[in-house]
Amino acid sequence: MFRSSELPECFYRNQPILICPSSPTPRHSLYLSNLDDQKFLRFSIKYLYLYKKSVCIDDLKSSLSKVLVHYYPLAGRLRISEETEEKLEVDCNGEGALLAEAFMDFTVEEFLEASRWPNMSWRKLLYRVQAQSFLGIPPLVIQVTNLSCGGMILCIAINHCLCDGIGTSQFLHAWAHLNTKPEVDLPILPFHSRHVLKPRNPPQITFSHPEFTNTTPNPYNLSYNLQSQPLVPTSLTFTPSHILHLKRLCVPSLKCTSFEALASHVWRCWIKSLNPPSSLKIKLLFSANIRSKVEPKLPKGYYGNGFALGCAETTVKELVNANVHHGVKLVQEAKATLTDDYVKSMIDYLEERRVKPDLSATLVISQWSKLGLEDLDFGEGKPLHMGPLVSEIYCLFLPVVGDLDAVKVLVSVPESVVDKFELYMNDLSEREDQMDGLELEEFHGLCENV
């Protein structure tokens, strides 16, 4: 089985520099909501873009400096809150984002050949900041790697405490906008305040929140078992015809979205390949946008963490012995619980307990495929590849460049089960490689991607 090869070394002609806002910005402490500074979000999300033609580095620096005037918290630094050591805040001090420029003796074509499966050597595409803790790392770190063929790899690390996927896409498109149209106002201005998601006083916890609590402890720890084995990334692309087939398994008795059908399928295949005890209680956690669910609705331009975790629960036996329809129902029920009352109870719950999600027997899915991340154009065309810098144990639904309705599923699994997992994932009866016009029209009619 082919796996991506090691990348050559990066050469840095100069030391990385700090890009500061091009004009004075507000100096204050930015409050982070309980959804922002959750303990499991205290890391940077690392995005990788491949472009056929490089963009002038001086232009990128200039436009970055300009966009940081609008998104000035990204030029600040995280620190422990002055109110309580359990919380974080942003010191909006204008210190700047870190930008490194590198060169690699590698071509766009060679990277595309190797890009199906990320590997650890890709980490060299992002400058490693030496710091005692993640608080010492700038919230925004960027590396521009020029390739020998004239192409470019752009890696961006954004601290998850400041932005979710929607917020990251909003920021990146603002940067690209100012690089291509420096005299034109931003179409969406950022909304900085996070106080709209402050906890109630006193907190009112009205739900049990299974996304954080392990209500049925089991001596078999699936998470520990996973992390004790060598993991390898696996990546499979689901075309519109594949997704339509999964959705057809649920109609007419149950209408579902593309995400619901694919999430159910992936969860079931993941569990089948790992083969834990049949009585084990298992969970699926997935991020759900709550910007329009809470009251009042989050303002336009809100780029902080505006998502909550949906939690589907069942046993191994129930999930494996049923078809995709069973998992879809569980995902839909989990989504339905994410009401305004539930989200506010979750925020209050985090205020009192500062807990992490229950990952003991859990698959986590994060959706990047409907955020517009793959459309990022700095003036030399859209990317040929977009994805994470590395593959993790949680699962990503990624966009497929050039096919808006396709989804790439990326997850790392134990090396011993990767072939089995891919076999289960590809096991779609009556699998079609093409759809005619009527089927494609039906697909668009059934699609309600969320």
Side-chain angles (χ1 to χ4, degrees), residues 45 47 49 67 71 74 140 156 158-160 162-177 186-188 190 291 301-304 367-378 386 399:
I45 310 177
Y47 302 86
Y49 288 89
V67 80
Y71 288 85
L74 290 174
L140 179 60
I156 304 133
I158 297 185
N159 194 290
H160 207 330
L162 273 74
C163 300
D164 63 6
I166 292 173
T168 296
S169 181
Q170 180 181 306
F171 164 73
L172 292 177
H173 280 282
W175 179 19
H177 176 91
L186 292 179
I188 301 175
R291 282 165 169 77
Y302 189 93
Y303 65 98
Q367 173 147 272
W368 292 16
S369 60
K370 298 298 174 183
L371 305 179
L373 288 164
E374 73 279 12
D375 295 330
L376 197 64
D377 187 347
F378 287 91
M386 179 273 153

Side-chain angles (χ1 to χ4, degrees), residues 313-352:
E313 291 183 277
T314 187
T315 64
V316 170
K317 182 178 180 180
E318 289 170 342
L319 184 68
V320 170
N321 289 345
N323 61 15
V324 68
H325 181 284
H326 176 65
V328 165
K329 279 192 70 175
L330 295 174
V331 172
Q332 290 183 338
E333 290 167 2
K335 287 170 67 175
T337 66
L338 297 177
T339 61
D340 175 58
D341 288 341
Y342 192 92
V343 173
K344 287 176 179 172
S345 175
M346 179 187 295
I347 292 169
D348 292 350
Y349 187 87
L350 290 168
E351 180 69 11
E352 288 204 343

Side-chain angles (χ1 to χ4, degrees), residues 3-20:
R3 287 287 185 257
S4 54
S5 57
E6 292 281 315
L7 296 183
E9 294 301 316
C10 280
F11 297 97
Y12 298 91
R13 294 191 177 97
N14 301 296
Q15 287 295 311
I17 60 173
L18 288 173
I19 304 294
C20 300

